[in-house]
Amino acid sequence: MVPAPSFYGRGSGWRRSNSGRMYRHEPEPEPTGPSMLLEKLPAHVLRDVFGFLSAGDVARAACACKTFKQVARSESLWRKLLSEKLGSQASIVLPKTLPNERYPHGDMVVEPAWKEMFQFWMNPGPNSYSWMEHAKGEELENRGKFAARYLHRCTAIGDGNKILLFGGQGSGADFFNDLHLLDLRKKSLQLEQLDAAGDPPFPRCSGTLTAVSVTGIPGSEVVALFGGSQGFFEGFSNSLCILQGDENVSISDAASQHKGLTWREPLVVAADPEDGVPDARWGHSAVSWNGKLVLFGGSNTQHCFNDTWILDVGLNPREPESRRLLATWKKLKLGDDARPPSRAGQTVSLVGDALYVFGGCHISDVFNDLWRLDLGVRVPTWERLDVAGTPPAPRVGHAAVVLGDRIVFSGGRGSPTAGASGTYATADQGLATMQGLTFFEGGFAMLDISRATWMPIQHPNRNNHVYLRGADDGNSMMRDVDMEDAADEDEVWEHRTGHVMVPAKDGLLVIGGLAYNGEFQNDVQHIRVF
């Protein structure tokens, strides 16, 4: 039979079945992959889609077609990828723009400046950080002198761009209970002294200062000051003081306005009477996790600790008309007996839901071990980590900052080890040689959590030169340095202990501390990373 030459032809969309019935045939689309569909989307939509990919996936997608290649050269895309690596700190440390941002035209092949910055962060070259301007405390624009000190403490409040600093120890028997504000958004660095109503905490060093939430009040924020001491042989405390803003005023706004701050003593109770509350101590560490304070370690004249506590700050049902808060201590129940050796002077860093403990000491035994405790599981268990790379030398009194999935460490002191870099203190330099720990560590060490590796230590450039001091003989080693440029070789820089370090515009700030030369510091050192 000859087929009917009708409008029922192949292109009409109709077909005749074997039974003779007609049915509409939906023609199969031309062979096309997902990329051919996506490339028809507007460029700004594609950039958003690419923003959900990893850097490796972006690179692979760029090979698929010309459109994807152009999208993969977007400055905003690579800035977003870098911001995601840096987490909540990205808004603080990253510049809004780079001076060498590039925008391709036509078929011009141009690699984005932000892509280069992303690649730098993932695999920084040696000595690629640099020291920026620094100033003594009395040279800063401040409303009250920030005396030279060490073992002071700090915490970020609000959106993280305001830093509160409290207390510390200065020369002689000077202990402080003053409160200062450092606003990172201001064009010039300012350490502004703050006044607070209420009974001030007693002067102390080596406590903890931690911003936490008030349970039951969404968006609330207070600052908890716990423990500390007035010297190794006296004055150890387990007191808890809360810094609050006036009613309906955030603590961040109150600090900025220099009014409306009050110290109050909460009602302290134990969640379990058998566990009680933490013993008096100094050299402990605390972080804020889900609005609660997590406490680890520390020591006093009788004990060195490796216990972990959770502090919940909430409304006080016993005094509903009062602004006095209720503070409940709960000792964390662990899954097994594994835990870090008892210690003080360590750092504790929070990445996601996990605590990372590094360093510290028990008398003169100094550590460089690394431990993790995942708080996000029902029964947390301590785990000692063995990661790739070379760990930093054992140390105590160092500082740490979390930048996304990376922890940056600086300073501290210990005993010199082969291959370490830093600066020696001498026998006549008082506190600098306490416990016989005379070697002040140099450089900035970095732990990459995602890749489980220690990255090479960064020795920031000064005036385009790199200064190192070796642990083997104490001699200075300077790379590409003219003698006339070496006048500042004896500056303190990072060779200090008991300092604080915070994220800041373009990088990090190091504030105060006890230097290897026995001098207390009140400088603010700026390290450029980005």
Side-chain angles (χ1 to χ4, degrees):
M1 177 182 294
V2 178
S6 72
F7 47 85
Y8 299 133
R10 184 172 181 82
S12 69
W14 292 90
R15 295 288 184 272
R16 187 187 299 274
S17 68
N18 291 334
S19 64
R21 296 188 178 92
M22 301 298 298
Y23 66 96
R24 183 177 291 280
H25 170 71
E26 297 294 339
E28 294 181 3
E30 293 294 325
T32 176
S35 63
M36 298 185 67
L37 297 175
L38 285 171
E39 67 178 311
K40 297 178 181 179
L41 295 173
H44 70 279
V45 176
L46 280 175
R47 283 194 295 271
D48 289 342
V49 172
F50 274 41
F52 291 99
L53 304 179
S54 69
D57 289 336
V58 169
R60 283 184 283 273
C63 299
C65 65
K66 181 178 178 180
T67 300
F68 285 7
K69 183 178 292 186
Q70 288 298 100
V71 172
R73 291 177 182 154
S74 162
E75 294 283 4
S76 60
L77 169 64
W78 285 100
R79 190 185 192 281
K80 180 179 180 183
L81 291 173
L82 179 55
S83 296
E84 290 175 350
K85 289 295 293 182
L86 293 169
S88 60
Q89 305 296 353
S91 62
I92 299 173
V93 300
L94 285 185
K96 292 183 179 179
T97 60
L98 294 177
N100 58 338
E101 288 187 11
R102 305 154 188 162
Y103 297 92
H105 300 283
D107 294 330
M108 183 178 178
V109 178
V110 178
E111 288 297 324
W114 279 105
K115 180 179 179 181
E116 293 177 357
M117 184 65 79
F118 178 91
Q119 293 171 332
F120 157 77
W121 177 245
M122 296 304 295
N123 295 289
N127 311 319
S128 51
Y129 297 176
S130 59
W131 294 98
M132 296 178 64
E133 71 277 2
H134 70 286
K136 296 296 183 184
E138 46 286 295
E139 294 170 356
L140 298 172
E141 295 181 34
N142 57 2
R143 300 185 183 182
K145 182 178 179 181
F146 182 73
R149 66 189 71 195
Y150 90 136
L151 299 178
H152 46 298
R153 294 296 183 251
C154 74
T155 189
I157 56 173
D159 63 358
N161 278 288
K162 296 185 180 71
I163 308 297
L164 291 180
L165 297 96
F166 174 85
Q169 179 183 354
S171 59
D174 291 339
F175 291 87
F176 303 105
N177 64 348
D178 50 354
L179 188 66
H180 286 80
L181 170 69
L182 179 65
D183 192 334
L184 301 176
R185 290 196 182 276
K186 292 190 174 181
K187 187 174 182 179
S188 59
L189 293 176
Q190 301 180 35
L191 282 167
E192 307 170 18
Q193 189 163 358
L194 300 178
D195 294 321
D199 293 330
F202 72 86
R204 70 188 75 186
C205 68
S206 206
T208 51
L209 193 72
T210 314
V212 297
S213 302
V214 178
T215 300
I217 305 181
S220 59
E221 185 177 45
V222 297
V223 172
L225 171 67
F226 174 74
S229 172
Q230 287 189 344
F232 186 72
F233 296 107
E234 61 179 304
F236 290 95
S237 173
N238 66 347
S239 65
L240 180 66
C241 300
I242 303 291
L243 183 66
Q244 301 172 239
D246 285 350
E247 192 169 1
N248 300 321
V249 179
S250 72
I251 197 167
S252 176
D253 289 342
S256 296
Q257 298 164 10
H258 287 258
K259 61 179 183 180
L261 290 172
T262 303
W263 287 108
R264 289 187 172 87
E265 183 179 336
L267 176 61
V268 178
V269 298
D272 186 338
E274 291 188 4
D275 292 330
V277 301
D279 291 330
R281 63 189 71 196
W282 75 340
H284 48 286
S285 302
V287 297
S288 179
W289 171 69
N290 290 342
K292 296 177 172 58
L293 183 151
V294 183
L295 173 76
F296 172 81
S299 67
N300 57 36
T301 50
Q302 283 81 39
H303 300 285
C304 197
F305 302 102
N306 62 353
D307 48 355
T308 308
W309 297 78
I310 306 288
L311 176 69
D312 180 90
V313 177
L315 297 174
N316 185 359
R318 306 179 193 183
E319 303 176 27
E321 304 301 321
S322 168
R323 298 211 66 208
R324 187 185 188 196
L325 297 172
L326 178 67
T328 305
W329 284 107
K330 179 182 180 181
K331 191 171 185 179
L332 192 63
K333 306 300 182 185
L334 301 174
D336 59 30
D337 293 333
R339 63 196 64 195
S342 301
R343 66 190 66 198
Q346 69 287 327
T347 54
V348 173
S349 306
L350 183 72
V351 180
D353 286 324
L355 295 181
Y356 291 84
V357 172
F358 173 75
C361 72
H362 186 174
I363 310 177
S364 58
D365 292 331
V366 187
F367 306 109
N368 68 340
D369 51 351
L370 179 67
W371 292 77
R372 177 176 61 197
L373 181 68
D374 188 352
L375 299 171
V377 300
R378 188 175 62 85
V379 183
T381 301
W382 282 107
E383 174 189 7
R384 179 167 181 170
L385 300 181
D386 292 315
V387 300
T390 303
R395 63 189 66 194
V396 60
H398 50 291
V401 159
V402 174
L403 295 177
D405 60 356
R406 193 171 296 176
I407 307 173
V408 183
F409 303 89
S410 79
R413 59 196 175 93
S415 300
T417 57
S421 64
T423 304
Y424 286 95
T426 58
D428 60 348
Q429 288 168 341
L431 284 173
T433 60
M434 186 173 65
Q435 299 169 276
L437 305 178
T438 61
F439 191 71
F440 283 67
E441 305 294 340
F444 290 77
M446 293 184 292
L447 174 66
D448 190 311
I449 300 297
S450 296
R451 294 187 285 192
T453 186
W454 287 106
M455 305 185 72
I457 291 179
Q458 288 283 335
H459 298 278
N461 286 279
R462 314 181 211 159
N463 302 322
N464 297 318
H465 304 304
V466 177
Y467 293 70
L468 301 177
R469 290 180 184 269
D472 295 328
D473 56 10
N475 294 323
S476 300
M477 297 176 288
M478 295 171 282
R479 299 178 182 172
D480 302 320
V481 178
D482 295 325
M483 290 307 295
E484 61 185 11
D485 295 326
D488 64 350
E489 182 193 353
D490 291 328
E491 292 282 348
V492 172
W493 305 101
E494 78 271 32
H495 304 119
R496 62 185 75 201
T497 187
H499 54 295
V500 299
M501 182 168 64
V502 298
K505 180 182 177 183
D506 300 332
L508 304 165
L509 292 180
V510 170
I511 306 171
L514 174 66
Y516 71 93
N517 58 12
E519 297 292 330
F520 292 92
Q521 305 296 305
N522 63 347
D523 56 345
V524 179
Q525 298 277 3
H526 192 175
I527 301 92
R528 178 184 288 277
V529 178
F530 300 100

